Amino acid sequence: MQSRQLPFVAVAFLALATPAFSADFADPTWPCVQRKVERLSIGLMWPAEIPQMKLSPETGRAVDDLAELLVLRRVDPEDARAEIATFARDQGAGLPLMGVVFRKVFDKVSQRRTRIIDGIGTFSLNQISLSGRIDSARSEMETVMAAAEPDYDRADALEEQIDWDQRIYSDRQKTITYLCETPTLLEKRLYAIAQILQEAAGS
């Protein structure tokens, strides 16, 4: 099977957008400096196995309510710490129960993070496709203008298309830094929440 080569402009896009791009050989379409980690491991964030606990209806609701609050990025660490302290006072501060809370938070944030990573992949492929379209239009324009009797109407149409596509490409590219930072920020939030929950459990 012959490998497909990316268009020159697409390769240039990847090279310019990702100074550390070669760090991830598994996915050459990944456009971020940050290494691609598709799935997080809860075991790397929580110090013990999280048991399956039979909770009372009241405790179950309290766990769900706290987890829903902690997944919100607008809730800063200090507010999260206060909510966790209130939960620990009312429901108990054992590590197993705090682990149940964290597992719910982890599952929700990880799902969101996965959707974002999938979106980044789609974004990258769309940019590569657009790069290929620009590259093809430039090649065709060179061919048209090199003809003995150039088709100036076609050349004008191609020039307009290239200009429009380049504008779209550049506008989209401005968002790549924010997009690439988002999975890392979510990962850092999970680590922070894990630490606060462990502190509340006295571990």
Side-chain angles (χ1 to χ4, degrees):
M1 181 183 294
Q2 291 184 341
S3 61
R4 295 176 60 190
Q5 291 185 334
L6 295 175
F8 172 78
V9 177
V11 174
F13 151 63
L14 296 176
L16 291 173
T18 59
F21 194 83
S22 60
D24 192 350
F25 296 101
D27 188 351
T29 65
W30 181 245
C32 302
V33 173
Q34 297 88 339
R35 181 174 175 270
K36 184 179 182 181
V37 179
E38 293 193 44
R39 299 290 184 271
L40 299 177
S41 171
I42 194 171
L44 296 177
M45 299 184 184
W46 197 254
E49 183 177 351
I50 300 173
Q52 296 291 335
M53 297 180 65
K54 185 174 179 61
L55 305 176
S56 69
E58 178 187 356
T59 300
R61 285 193 297 272
V63 166
D64 289 342
D65 290 346
L66 180 60
E68 290 291 342
L69 183 73
L70 295 178
V71 300
L72 300 175
R73 282 187 282 178
R74 60 179 172 80
V75 177
D76 64 37
E78 289 310 309
D79 288 339
R81 192 183 304 277
E83 294 293 338
I84 291 169
T86 299
F87 174 88
R89 183 194 65 212
D90 295 342
Q91 305 298 331
L95 188 64
L97 184 57
M98 292 301 184
V100 172
V101 174
F102 182 66
R103 181 169 55 203
K104 287 182 175 290
V105 175
F106 179 88
D107 288 345
K108 290 179 180 295
V109 174
S110 292
Q111 289 171 10
R112 180 188 301 164
R113 183 180 177 277
T114 296
R115 289 195 298 270
I116 291 170
I117 287 177
D118 290 343
I120 291 173
T122 300
F123 171 91
S124 175
L125 291 174
N126 287 340
Q127 287 291 82
I128 290 172
S129 176
L130 187 56
S131 296
R133 175 182 161 98
I134 294 169
D135 196 42
S136 295
R138 284 176 171 166
S139 295
E140 183 181 351
M141 188 171 178
E142 289 176 2
T143 300
V144 169
M145 295 305 296
E149 296 183 4
D151 183 345
Y152 292 107
D153 288 340
R154 179 57 181 163
D156 288 344
L158 287 168
E159 185 175 22
E160 184 176 348
Q161 175 191 317
I162 291 169
D163 182 62
W164 179 252
D165 287 345
Q166 284 182 326
R167 288 184 184 182
I168 294 174
Y169 179 92
S170 297
D171 287 344
R172 288 177 180 172
Q173 195 63 15
K174 293 174 184 177
T175 67
I176 193 62
T177 299
Y178 170 77
L179 290 175
C180 288
E181 287 176 350
T182 303
T184 301
L185 293 175
L186 290 175
E187 184 176 350
K188 288 180 178 178
R189 181 171 181 82
L190 278 174
Y191 273 111
I193 290 171
Q195 291 299 312
I196 297 171
L197 287 167
Q198 290 172 50
E199 290 170 8
S203 62

